[in-house]
Amino acid sequence: MNDLTAKLSQEQTTLLSTMAQQYLMEDVWPVWSFTVATLDNYGLDAEKLIRSLPRVGSRGHFGPSYGLTSHNGSYIADDDRPALTIAACLHLPELEPYVSDPFLRVLHTLIGMQRSAPISTQEATRPQFTLADIEREVPGLPKRFVARLPGVLALEPATWGGSSGGTAAEGTWWRELRREIRQYKEAKTLHDYVQTTTRLITAQASEIPGTAPVMPAPATSAAPGPYVDEALIAALEAKDTTLQLDKLLALVGELNANHADRHTYACQMLLRAILDHVPPAFGHRTFEQVVANVAFGQTDKAYIKKLTAFRNSGDDALHRPMSTKPSLLNMDDLPPRTYINVLLQAVLDSLPSVPQPTAHVGGA
């Protein structure tokens, strides 16, 4: 059985983060061609990565299965919009306040509604709920989450199945409440929810004749490429600029070498040095000023802003004194390679060029 809670590779996390960032900004999952093209720019294969993600339950289209995305192994068209599930929030903490936290509030409200629904001795009853019911019973839910809720519920085993109808846009959406939702009454946390879902889906799949456990594609992290893209380094080497790049190129080269040799502390120190070294390329003195003032694109700014959090682990590697406690830093504490590659591409784009001599036309 695959473990949906197991730590992902940096490449797998980059895939999920790319999809999540657009979802949070636009309230709709990006088309697959966008995700493929974005990861192509970072030297990553989105098709292989999405197939490498853990999944529990049955293989293929027969029998139930559940993973970190809605993709179940079939072909993805360019205009398809594969979505992340609630389980993906385990690997993207930035999603929790906007997705998994409100989902768990709604889930337990629905469990209470199902348990308290009136029953009849004369006819089968199928309790239903609407978005208005949710907003009344769970006050304070973000409006944007409520608008996305029908799509979220359709992807989750706790709430999928049963009848539904209407549209959220027209205020007519409704969904049937199934008694199976009671199986989640003890799932109080995100981890509890994922573990409960794993147990239930695995049991259901095992009862279907001819189904087999999901077998993921080999992990793409087995043979990772260089931490900083070699084509980007070559472009920096060829750049004709008024700023000296010898130190930056040395730092980047040493970072790649130490990353390949899995030298945790050297990588942390070199990364911190790069963040402190590049602000003049943007016309600023500190990295904090770069993040606050430079007009990056939305996705690139999100990646670069996240690099500020990794200054703490650099400080840890450099300044934590000896003690009786072991160090907890390891290679997994480095930021995804996407973040530093986006930053260095922005450096390349922002470097001031050497002024070209002005041609003078002689008079007669």
Side-chain angles (χ1 to χ4, degrees):
M1 181 181 70
N2 291 304
D3 185 0
L4 300 182
T5 68
K7 187 174 182 62
L8 301 180
S9 70
Q10 290 183 346
E11 291 84 356
Q12 290 170 322
T13 303
T14 297
L15 169 68
L16 300 185
S17 181
T18 299
M19 297 168 66
Q21 290 289 341
Q22 297 304 311
Y23 181 65
L24 291 178
M25 289 188 292
E26 301 178 3
D27 289 330
V28 64
W29 295 107
V31 293
W32 182 237
S33 61
F34 168 86
T35 303
V36 170
T38 301
L39 267 68
D40 280 347
N41 291 336
Y42 307 134
L44 300 177
D45 189 328
E47 296 278 357
K48 289 183 178 179
L49 284 172
I50 200 168
R51 287 176 170 81
S52 74
L53 295 171
R55 197 168 190 86
V56 297
S58 304
R59 183 191 303 129
H61 300 286
F62 301 99
S65 69
Y66 182 71
L68 306 183
T69 75
S70 59
H71 173 64
N72 64 356
S74 59
Y75 169 75
I76 310 178
D78 285 348
D79 57 354
D80 284 346
R81 298 177 182 269
L84 302 188
T85 66
I86 295 299
C89 296
L90 281 173
H91 307 281
L92 299 172
E94 63 269 28
L95 275 185
E96 292 185 30
Y98 306 103
V99 181
S100 60
D101 288 353
F103 170 79
L104 288 172
R105 292 178 61 196
V106 169
L107 175 66
H108 286 281
T109 297
L110 294 178
I111 292 172
M113 292 170 63
Q114 203 282 332
R115 296 179 68 177
S116 61
I119 57 177
S120 170
T121 61
Q122 302 302 315
E123 60 181 0
T125 57
R126 295 184 176 86
Q128 299 175 355
F129 66 96
T130 66
L131 290 180
D133 295 329
I134 295 298
E135 291 185 287
R136 182 182 65 253
E137 298 295 329
V138 193
L141 281 178
K143 292 291 184 183
R144 295 174 66 182
F145 174 78
V146 174
R148 298 190 297 244
L149 187 57
V152 173
L153 298 180
L155 289 179
E156 295 305 312
T159 49
W160 69 24
S163 301
S164 63
T167 66
E170 297 176 353
T172 58
W173 180 87
W174 59 271
R175 191 172 192 90
E176 181 181 321
L177 260 177
R178 301 166 65 242
R179 64 182 300 274
E180 286 80 3
I181 198 172
R182 296 188 183 205
Q183 296 171 308
Y184 287 84
K185 65 180 184 299
E186 301 300 328
K188 305 297 185 183
T189 68
L190 174 58
H191 189 272
D192 292 342
Y193 174 80
V194 175
Q195 292 288 71
T196 300
T197 299
T198 296
R199 174 175 53 81
L200 294 173
I201 292 295
T202 302
Q204 292 168 20
S206 68
E207 296 173 357
I208 300 176
T211 60
V214 173
M215 298 298 291
T220 57
S221 58
Y227 191 58
V228 177
D229 187 77
E230 291 177 341
L232 182 54
I233 296 175
L236 285 167
E237 290 173 336
K239 181 70 175 180
D240 194 11
T241 177
T242 57
L243 295 177
Q244 294 296 319
L245 300 183
D246 55 328
K247 180 177 179 180
L248 176 60
L249 289 168
L251 290 170
V252 169
E254 291 177 21
L255 177 58
N256 267 357
N258 281 280
H259 187 269
D261 292 335
R262 301 189 66 77
H263 294 160
T264 299
Y265 296 101
C267 288
Q268 291 285 358
M269 296 175 198
L270 288 162
L271 180 64
R272 172 63 189 271
I274 290 170
L275 298 185
D276 289 342
H277 185 65
V278 299
F282 302 98
H284 293 284
R285 292 189 307 106
T286 69
F287 192 69
E288 288 78 5
Q289 291 172 341
V290 172
V291 173
N293 297 295
V294 177
F296 301 107
Q298 285 185 322
T299 300
D300 287 354
K301 188 174 185 68
Y303 288 143
I304 292 171
K305 185 176 181 180
K306 288 181 179 180
L307 283 171
T308 58
F310 290 93
R311 290 171 60 88
N312 293 331
S313 52
D315 285 342
D316 190 323
L318 283 163
H319 303 305
R320 184 187 290 273
M322 183 184 296
S323 74
T324 58
K325 298 179 180 179
S327 172
L328 300 179
L329 283 179
N330 58 48
M331 292 298 291
D332 292 331
D333 295 311
L334 287 170
R337 63 188 297 274
T338 305
Y339 297 2
I340 189 67
N341 280 282
V342 165
L343 172 64
L344 292 174
Q345 181 64 57
V347 168
L348 177 65
D349 295 340
S350 301
L351 285 169
S353 299
V354 174
Q356 298 299 312
T358 302
H360 296 281
V361 179

